[in-house]
Amino acid sequence: GKSDGLLNNRTVHLDYINETLFVGHDIGISYTCQSDSFCNVSFPETSSPANVSGVVLFEDQLIVTTNGAGLFLLDLEKESLTPVEHSPKRIREVIVVDDRIYFATRNGLFFSNDLHRFQQLSNTEDFSFSSILSRDKEIYGTTYGGLLLKISASGKLDTLVDRENDPFRSVLIDDEGRIWVNSRNGVLIKKDEELIQLSESTGLPINDINIVFNDLEGNVWLGTGGKGLSRFTG
């Protein structure tokens, strides 16, 4: 909490980079700078409050994304967060693939090679993306319109799942190659052509699932909206 050095008790994001834990808030970033405490960097006063949605390392720079105020460069030595001009504003998730950084936003997918020019991936402008991940050079994304998409490096979109009334929140590909998408209506598991629905009727404590996570031992965990943490046992 704040008594241990956190900038704020309300935490909205966690990332772990080069043995440093980064904690995102709606007013800035906390990070571990000592064994038992945190250091803090606040957003500039000219920036609107916005939840941190990601921290990544790109071109030897720490990048902080927000859902509302765009992209910032984090300088730990200067203890500063500097806004990046012309970046997308409502960034839900960020990933780095090879030498390119991708952003899942409310207005489609964007990418940049140098943080100076931001381009929208063709055919994505009508989708409100909730998450994005990369596996084997392919990019997967979910939308609040109930789509699970696979996006090739050339920008081709393949619809893997279309559930119009199922606003997907995130996507995970586990160690067995199964694709998981979650929403307030439970979880869908896609393996090859098979599609399995998990809900309260099949053992979930609640249908409202915020996140699906694969740990280092291969276990799949489900973070719920109000019923704690569940481990998938098959």
Side-chain angles (χ1 to χ4, degrees):
K2 291 185 69 173
S3 61
D4 303 293
L6 283 182
L7 184 61
N8 195 304
N9 281 338
R10 181 173 180 269
T11 64
V12 295
H13 192 81
L14 298 173
D15 270 307
Y16 192 67
I17 301 172
N18 293 340
E19 299 185 358
T20 298
L21 175 65
F22 293 89
V23 184
H25 314 279
D26 60 354
I27 57 174
I29 286 283
S30 303
Y31 64 96
T32 49
C33 58
Q34 301 177 32
S35 60
D36 58 352
S37 186
F38 290 86
C39 295
N40 304 305
V41 183
S42 298
F43 289 125
E45 294 182 0
T46 53
S47 299
S48 303
N51 286 338
V52 169
S53 58
V55 182
V56 295
L57 194 62
F58 179 65
E59 293 188 334
D60 297 324
Q61 296 184 94
L62 283 169
I63 310 299
V64 175
T65 59
T66 70
N67 189 358
L71 185 66
F72 292 81
L73 301 180
L74 174 59
D75 189 322
L76 299 184
E77 291 187 2
K78 296 181 179 179
E79 296 186 337
S80 65
L81 280 160
T82 305
V84 176
E85 293 185 356
H86 311 302
S87 70
K89 295 302 179 186
R90 293 198 171 274
I91 302 170
R92 271 72 178 265
E93 195 159 15
V94 56
I95 60 171
V96 175
V97 182
D98 295 330
D99 297 323
R100 180 177 285 183
I101 187 168
Y102 290 86
F103 308 94
T105 82
R106 187 174 71 174
N107 304 111
L109 288 181
F110 287 79
F111 67 90
S112 178
N113 298 321
D114 54 14
L115 298 181
H116 296 294
R117 184 185 178 200
F118 297 88
Q119 297 175 261
Q120 188 171 58
L121 211 60
S122 60
N123 304 316
T124 67
E125 60 272 6
D126 294 329
F127 300 131
S128 178
F129 278 85
S130 51
S131 73
I132 185 175
L133 69 75
S134 171
R135 185 181 176 105
D136 299 330
K137 304 296 183 180
E138 300 280 7
I139 295 172
Y140 297 80
T142 57
T143 77
Y144 284 119
L147 293 177
L148 168 64
L149 301 171
K150 183 169 75 170
I151 304 108
S152 68
S154 62
K156 179 187 176 186
L157 302 182
D158 288 325
T159 301
L160 303 182
V161 177
D162 186 351
R163 301 275 288 243
E164 184 176 352
N165 298 316
D166 211 353
F168 296 143
R169 289 170 170 161
S170 65
V171 56
L172 165 78
I173 302 178
D174 68 16
D175 294 341
E176 298 180 22
R178 297 173 297 191
I179 304 176
W180 302 65
V181 288
N182 57 283
S183 73
R184 66 188 180 198
N185 299 319
V187 177
L188 286 176
I189 307 173
K190 180 177 174 58
K191 185 173 183 180
D192 300 323
E193 299 305 315
E194 186 180 14
L195 200 60
I196 302 169
Q197 173 83 49
L198 300 183
S199 64
E200 292 177 25
S201 63
T202 56
L204 288 184
I206 190 173
N207 284 340
D208 189 12
I209 304 298
N210 288 324
I211 193 71
V212 183
F213 179 73
N214 204 186
D215 70 19
L216 293 178
E217 295 178 348
N219 299 303
V220 175
W221 297 85
L222 311 177
T224 73
K227 292 288 185 178
L229 189 65
S230 297
R231 181 168 62 89
F232 180 72
T233 60

